[in-house]
Amino acid sequence: MRLYSGPLSLFSAKTRIALAEKGLQHELIQVGWSRADRYLPYHPEVERLNPKKQVPVLIDGDVTVYDSTLIAEYLEERYPQPPLFPRSIEERVRCRRQEAAADELWFPFIWDLIETRFYPNAGDAPTVQRAAAADRGLAELFARLDRDLAGRDYYCGDFTVADIGTAVFATAAATMGAAPAPELHNVAAWFERVSARPSVATVMADLQAAAASALAA
Ligand SMILES: N[C@@H](CCC(=O)N[C@@H](CS)C(=O)NCC(=O)O)C(=O)O
């Protein structure tokens, strides 16, 4: 199995965590990336395999899958143990809803923070306003997460893809100045629990190291 990943790619991080949780050995290929040119030039294999030219791309025998959500579903079907989706239909819906929310609600705010706080940018008014709006949006999402986690260790039963996506983007938010409010006790306990998992800890540490070296360059 081979994974094309990006050293700073949050979506690749989701896939790497899923692979680690399932104990699946793979060859990890980190595509080129720079702060100035981002993913250009694209890795030729990524460009060939994914019409969106994005990582992550997983190759497993004669199967090629791209998109972190689709890869997680593929892995679950092909390698069901240990499961990363709940058993009951109701909990699976809850899990998929949050996995989608991580990509579609959380990530756009994270992207605003990446563009305004990570990439070199003038501190002009629109930039500052964009970052402030992202902070507010993430604060609302953390508050909602806190309500959703009441009485639960993980988002839907055991650790699932819902926790993976949410943990990746929550970590990125915290790193870029939008940490959850300390009074959100359910989020704090959940964050500690998911961050302590070796899969999450290892992959997020790799990402932090890549970010630090990009900033130092
Ligand atoms: N929906 C996709 C998003 C993948 C994505 O945005 N990948 C980024 C890196 S995090 C990428 O490869 N960007 C390069 C580009 O779009 O030019 C997924 O879940 O995998």
Side-chain angles (χ1 to χ4, degrees), residues 6 8-15 31 33 38-40 42 46 50 52-57 66-71 99 103 107 111 169:
L8 279 166
S9 161
L10 299 172
F11 291 100
S12 300
K14 288 172 58 186
T15 299
V31 302
W33 179 91
R38 307 196 186 187
Y39 288 92
L40 296 176
Y42 291 115
V46 171
N50 181 354
K52 293 181 83 177
K53 305 176 183 180
Q54 294 178 328
V55 286
V57 178
Y66 46 81
D67 188 284
S68 58
T69 301
L70 300 188
I71 293 173
E99 210 273 342
D103 286 9
F107 179 71
W111 183 245
F169 297 129

Side-chain angles (χ1 to χ4, degrees), residues 1-4 15 18-20 22-29 57-65 71 74-75 78-79:
M1 202 182 296
R2 172 181 293 175
L3 177 68
Y4 290 96
T15 299
L19 287 166
K22 285 188 175 286
L24 294 169
Q25 299 301 317
H26 56 281
E27 179 189 2
L28 178 67
I29 298 192
V57 178
L58 182 81
I59 301 170
D60 186 19
D62 53 10
V63 174
T64 298
V65 206
I71 293 173
Y74 166 76
L75 291 175
R78 178 76 80 184
Y79 307 101

Side-chain angles (χ1 to χ4, degrees), residues 163-214:
D163 300 293
I164 294 178
T166 312
V168 167
F169 297 129
T171 306
T175 307
M176 287 185 296
E183 65 270 21
L184 300 179
H185 298 297
N186 299 325
V187 167
W190 166 86
F191 214 176
E192 201 173 305
R193 201 170 289 122
V194 294
S195 304
R197 295 181 82 88
S199 62
V200 177
T202 305
V203 172
M204 294 320 287
D206 281 359
L207 235 69
Q208 306 274 14
S213 84

Side-chain angles (χ1 to χ4, degrees), residues 117-191:
R117 296 200 175 134
F118 181 72
Y119 287 112
N121 241 314
D124 56 15
T127 301
V128 171
Q129 280 165 13
R130 183 177 171 192
D135 284 343
R136 284 195 300 277
L138 286 163
E140 272 177 33
L141 290 171
F142 273 124
R144 175 183 284 271
L145 179 63
D146 199 69
R147 294 193 292 276
D148 287 352
L149 286 169
R152 291 174 176 262
D153 283 351
Y154 293 109
Y155 197 87
C156 16
D158 293 328
F159 183 81
T160 65
V161 293
D163 300 293
I164 294 178
T166 312
V168 167
F169 297 129
T171 306
T175 307
M176 287 185 296
E183 65 270 21
L184 300 179
H185 298 297
N186 299 325
V187 167
W190 166 86
F191 214 176

